[in-house]
Amino acid sequence: MNTEMRHLRYFVVLAEEEHFSRAAARCRISQPTLTRALAALERSLGVRLVRRTTRSVALTDAGRRLRAELEELLPRMDAAFARVRAEGQLRLGFTWLLPSGLARRILTDFEESTGVPVELVRRDDRLAGVDVGAVDAALLHGDVDDPALTSIRLRSEPRIAVVARDHPLARRRRLQWAELAGLPLVVNSASGTVRPELWPPGQRPSVAVESATYDAWMEMVALGRGFGVLPDFARHHPHPDVRYIGLADAPPVPLVLVLPARAPHPLSDELVRAARAAAEHSE
């Protein structure tokens, strides 16, 4: 027997409405789709469930028995699914900062549509643990080229310069990318997306210090060891000892959602949908 749950749910609605058009509208499907679903259910069970005339829909004896059984069974199944779903979660990794507005929209949409909570996991490594199964998906900055992972670009973000508050450039409101060439650069070697190679040859900053975590990176910038570069949304995460300066022509940084290419989380498609919808809303 090859009976689909949706066919059973459609049948219960039809039994309640006793009208194909009204039942189809409640199920948010077309009337032909409902008719085909009923026919498939009857073929699967080997009995006629509905007698249909040009003016009315009436259940057969078998249809009435099935309706009575399903009206008890389906709510119990829904409750069982809800209990199991409540025990699950999706782990979403990130490396240093999350674009909070976008992330909030993704999590709200995903949790409301699935009933599954999202746990945020920060890891100081380039892929936030998605490559080793430490998280189910990750929001990352910078392109990811790994055949074991699926990378979905959500949007590109402008960059800003980050300097200590007593840095000679701290009073500037805007800089050109080329103005940073030749200055000492603080690099986040674990998960950062900015290295001297982003500048043209012969016009590159020198690496003053490399840090293994975002927090150490920020403190090195705050201490005046060199300048740093972040996505523009970092302005929403102020540090008392640094200043953020707009960059007129810096290369943008992509924001990507990354998932395992094989055996992803069962709700990965819903996460991708929520992420794309949130990115569209934010543009």
Side-chain angles (χ1 to χ4, degrees):
M1 186 173 67
N2 184 23
T3 301
E4 297 185 27
M5 284 286 295
R6 61 192 176 94
H7 292 170
L8 297 175
R9 295 184 189 280
Y10 294 164
F11 168 73
V12 170
V13 174
L14 178 61
E16 292 172 352
E17 293 290 343
E18 295 185 343
H19 193 280
F20 270 84
S21 295
R22 291 197 299 268
R26 271 185 60 187
C27 295
R28 298 184 179 181
I29 58 175
S30 67
Q31 185 172 329
T33 298
L34 178 59
T35 300
R36 289 193 295 270
L38 175 64
L41 180 58
E42 289 180 329
R43 284 196 303 272
S44 178
L45 296 174
V47 296
R48 186 170 294 281
L49 301 171
V50 170
R51 290 193 184 90
R52 180 182 180 186
T53 70
T54 56
R55 294 187 177 182
S56 64
V57 172
L59 298 181
T60 64
D61 289 343
R64 285 191 291 272
R65 283 196 295 272
L66 181 60
R67 175 186 180 179
E69 294 282 355
L70 291 178
E71 285 179 339
E72 289 189 13
L73 179 61
L74 290 178
R76 291 171 59 191
M77 292 182 67
D78 290 340
F81 293 157
R83 286 192 294 270
V84 171
R85 191 179 293 118
E87 295 177 3
Q89 64 177 4
L90 184 142
R91 300 163 300 166
L92 182 63
F94 66 103
T95 53
W96 22 276
L97 287 179
L98 273 174
S100 53
L102 179 77
R104 182 167 55 252
R105 284 191 289 271
I106 294 173
L107 268 60
T108 299
D109 186 344
F110 177 85
E111 292 178 344
E112 287 181 351
S113 64
T114 66
V116 173
V118 177
E119 178 189 2
L120 292 175
V121 180
R122 175 178 156 180
R123 288 173 60 97
D124 285 306
D125 62 70
R126 173 70 186 96
L127 297 174
V130 69
D131 55 329
V132 294
V135 296
D136 301 303
L139 274 175
L140 303 173
H141 286 90
D143 288 316
V144 174
D145 183 16
D146 186 328
L149 300 172
T150 298
S151 178
I152 299 163
R153 184 176 288 212
L154 299 178
R155 69 184 188 191
S156 293
E157 299 183 350
R159 286 182 161 114
I160 55 174
V162 188
V163 300
R165 64 179 179 180
D166 58 354
H167 192 281
L169 296 175
R171 293 183 178 273
R172 296 278 299 275
R173 298 186 64 181
R174 201 153 185 84
L175 295 169
Q176 298 293 320
W177 187 242
E179 291 184 74
L180 300 174
L183 299 178
L185 171 67
V186 179
V187 170
N188 180 343
S189 57
S191 58
T193 61
V194 176
R195 297 195 66 84
E197 290 74 21
L198 283 178
W199 283 264
Q203 303 176 39
R204 292 173 174 169
S206 58
V207 176
V209 62
E210 296 196 25
S211 301
T213 68
Y214 171 77
D215 298 312
W217 176 91
M218 180 61 82
E219 293 308 318
M220 288 295 101
V221 173
L223 288 171
R225 299 292 179 87
F227 76 93
V229 178
L230 287 174
D232 185 74
F233 75 85
R235 294 179 186 273
H236 302 295
H237 302 267
H239 184 292
D241 296 322
V242 305
R243 296 291 180 267
Y244 299 128
I245 307 171
L247 288 169
D249 55 350
V253 57
L255 177 70
V256 296
L257 177 67
V258 181
L259 311 102
R262 296 183 61 186
H265 190 281
L267 294 174
S268 290
D269 287 348
E270 188 62 19
L271 178 66
V272 171
R273 182 205 61 75
R276 283 177 166 155
E280 230 176 85
H281 182 271
S282 65
E283 289 179 353

